[in-house]
Amino acid sequence: MTTPPLRKDAARNWEQIVAVARELVDAGVPLQLNDVARRVGMGVGTVYRHFPTTEALLETVATRSLELLVAHGEQALADDDPWRALAGFLARTIEAQVTDASLSAVTAAPTDALPHTTELKQTLWSLGGRLLDRARAAGVVRADLTSADLVPLMCGIAYAAAVHGGADDAVARTDTAQRYLTALLEGLHTG
Amino acid sequence: MTTPPLRKDAARNWEQIVAVARELVDAGVPLQLNDVARRVGMGVGTVYRHFPTTEALLETVATRSLELLVAHGEQALADDDPWRALAGFLARTIEAQVTDASLSAVTAAPTDALPHTTELKQTLWSLGGRLLDRARAAGVVRADLTSADLVPLMCGIAYAAAVHGGADDAVARTDTAQRYLTALLEGLHTG
Amino acid sequence: MTTPPLRKDAARNWEQIVAVARELVDAGVPLQLNDVARRVGMGVGTVYRHFPTTEALLETVATRSLELLVAHGEQALADDDPWRALAGFLARTIEAQVTDASLSAVTAAPTDALPHTTELKQTLWSLGGRLLDRARAAGVVRADLTSADLVPLMCGIAYAAAVHGGADDAVARTDTAQRYLTALLEGLHTG
Amino acid sequence: MTTPPLRKDAARNWEQIVAVARELVDAGVPLQLNDVARRVGMGVGTVYRHFPTTEALLETVATRSLELLVAHGEQALADDDPWRALAGFLARTIEAQVTDASLSAVTAAPTDALPHTTELKQTLWSLGGRLLDRARAAGVVRADLTSADLVPLMCGIAYAAAVHGGADDAVARTDTAQRYLTALLEGLHTG
DNA sequence: CATGAATGAGCCTTCATTCAT
DNA sequence: AATGAATGAAGGCTCATTCAT
């Protein structure tokens, strides 16, 4: 549910705004509501009506990625192998973070602008926690790793890949990030 | 050498500016040259004469930490145990990053304002590279880890600790960071 | 007659809008048509249809007070004692002004948005004028006081009480205003 | 002391800003810092440096009037006749309020932007209080009139004159105001 | 008739940088 | 060399009013 407003034309505007915002995010341009408005060719007020703050818009852009991750997390829980399930989930998370700049920003943010974002994040952390618990119960992961570490570690790896790779070349960044994740997982793996 | 200008009073001004900037950095306040000038009780022009940009001032604040790390890196090379030398060096690096906000910013920056900063960073990366090479030669570290990964990984861990711990409580952040480093080193260690 | 439109549902809308507006006025919140619409749960357009401007709505809110004052003025004319009649009328006027923020605004305004408001105000000034004329004819009031002074003086006293008393505490403001009126009347009284 | 900054050119700017602001105030145009800047032909920042808020500028414009009133109040204290002293002081106050729109605004404001304004206002109220006390001690004024009533009453009379006279024609407004003051004083006078 | 999305002028404020004194 | 006043682009946000649905 991405909660687009009801009226047909308003919905189209909403879509357009988000689309332009996504392009800007992908291009590494910091979101500015006035700027977005100008690019979409709408009045500032329209953009403000749909997204009262930059954060609200950014979170909306990040929503799709969050939802995909949630979907994957739920599938992962069906995996018999607790370690494979956890590792796969984390790999997907990293890939998404590195690919989608809005996701890394929203993930690292301590507070959210939209309730929906908070829900999604909580769902996601909870899925991660369950995957981690299963792994810990199976004795395949370091005992001192808690579910509160998952998000920071994923953010850290994505950040490391960004520092390594510069702003451009998402592919290279993805490779680097997966390499870092592999090393880290090696360190977290037990049994 | 931190390149203080020659004349006595100018040198005192320089020191004062850096001192105030360090306080601001430690307090988490973003550096603004006008702001610094007001707090030091000098004209903006004076501050601009010494530090043409915010980055120049920030790098100057970071210099001490960089120098200390270099010093430690050189000592580490004297250590007989290649793994212990590398691990110790990285531990110090992380601790410094978490403790000194200017350091993490300068370290992650792709470009430098001051030539001196570039030199220091290169020296430091080179020391890290040599420590890594020794460890690789001794077969105690994953072969796919290159010296270009060291900085990003350290930045990533510091970032992860920041995401975990929030802005306050440097002690808790340090603990977290060391825990993350331990896990990562476990993954990098071989033999 | 406060001119409510004819159709039943439209009339209900009209009532609701005015009711909410009165609450806002009483709470000291500046009227904004958008704001009112949101609070009433109607579209802006509906509110605009009924009240083309903020002033129109404000005047409508003030209408009840104006009508009550007119009623009192008519009763006052029946009083045998010209001075008591005038003084009583002014006391009521002041009380209303201090109590009802919409009234003071509408009273002091040089122009009106609604013809009905203009009528009411003229009726009221005319009543005041007749009360004043009677008093002057009886020689109980300063000769240099004209009917054109009545409104300004009442507005002035209400304003004075507001300056004295701050925004809150309508009771204290009423007391103050009556005290000021008493002093002024003492000055206006003759014979 | 109107505290103009020290440097020669800055002082000239300060003067120009205040001069333009005074014109705007006299013309009944609401002060806006950007607007003032444009009219003076300066950058916005310059105006903001001198006057951080609209209120600060308005109070600066009002300062001259406040100072003149203080001066008159001090002279009034030298008058042997307590009633004449008080009445004269109030007459001057009213005249200034009616003539200078900045003064009436600043006088009625519950809080001040500039400390200097607060000082001046307090000095003025204190002078008024002393004149009132003398009159009360001499038994020539109503006992229930306190020094806290002086300001509100003066503001009220000025407001009444404004309601009566409309925006233009300061002369007519002054006459009206003095007439109202006369009536009020008659009411306050005793003995 | 009712709705409420869209508009965009207009106001406010900050801050990096320059340059006259 | 030091000072700090001036600049003005840039960005943020609100709100009265219109008009397509």
Side-chain angles (χ1 to χ4, degrees), chain A residues 111-131:
Chain A
T111 63
D112 308 314
L114 306 177
H116 187 57
T117 304
T118 307
E119 285 172 31
L120 274 173
K121 282 168 75 171
Q122 282 176 347
T123 307
L124 200 54
W125 306 164
S126 140
L127 282 168
R130 286 161 69 191
L131 289 165

Side-chain angles (χ1 to χ4, degrees), chain B residues 13 43-46 49:
Chain B
N13 283 345
V44 217
T46 309
R49 165 174 308 278

Side-chain angles (χ1 to χ4, degrees), chain D residues 3-168:
Chain D
T3 333
L6 298 168
R7 246 175 63 182
K8 209 173 55 190
D9 55 341
R12 238 199 30 223
N13 284 339
W14 189 93
E15 302 284 6
Q16 278 184 265
I17 295 170
V18 175
V20 166
R22 196 183 307 272
E23 283 172 22
L24 291 176
V25 164
D26 287 344
V29 179
L31 284 188
Q32 291 173 207
L33 261 21
N34 281 282
D35 181 37
V36 171
R38 193 168 27 73
R39 292 183 195 246
V40 194
M42 292 178 194
V44 221
T46 307
V47 176
Y48 268 83
R49 158 178 290 269
H50 286 293
F51 304 98
T53 63
T54 309
E55 287 74 36
L57 179 50
L58 190 69
E59 290 178 16
T60 303
V61 169
T63 298
R64 177 189 301 272
S65 290
L66 282 172
E67 288 172 340
L68 288 175
L69 283 179
V70 165
H72 179 77
E74 280 161 354
Q75 289 173 25
L77 276 176
D79 189 334
D80 285 342
D81 183 338
W83 174 254
R84 191 176 55 196
L86 177 62
F89 176 69
L90 296 181
R92 285 276 187 120
T93 304
I94 284 295
E95 185 191 3
Q97 289 230 49
V98 169
T99 308
D100 182 349
S102 70
L103 185 64
S104 40
V106 169
T107 306
T111 63
D112 308 314
L114 305 177
H116 187 58
T117 304
T118 307
E119 285 172 31
L120 275 173
K121 283 168 73 171
Q122 282 176 347
T123 306
L124 201 53
W125 306 164
S126 142
L127 282 168
R130 286 160 70 191
L131 289 166
L132 177 61
D133 289 344
R134 285 204 320 175
R136 196 186 302 107
V140 293
V141 78
R142 289 173 68 103
D144 67 347
L145 187 75
T146 78
S147 71
D149 294 318
L150 254 30
V151 178
L153 281 174
M154 295 308 103
C155 290
I157 288 182
Y159 185 77
V163 168
H164 178 103
D168 25 76

Side-chain angles (χ1 to χ4, degrees), chain A residues 132 136 139-147 149 188-190, chain B residues 179:
Chain A
L132 178 61
R136 197 187 300 107
V140 295
V141 78
R142 288 173 68 104
D144 66 349
L145 186 75
T146 79
S147 70
D149 294 318
L188 300 175
H189 204 356
T190 56
Chain B
R179 202 153 51 80

Side-chain angles (χ1 to χ4, degrees), chain B residues 61-74:
Chain B
V61 168
T63 297
R64 177 190 298 274
S65 290
L66 283 171
E67 288 172 340
L68 289 174
L69 283 178
V70 165
H72 180 78
E74 281 161 354

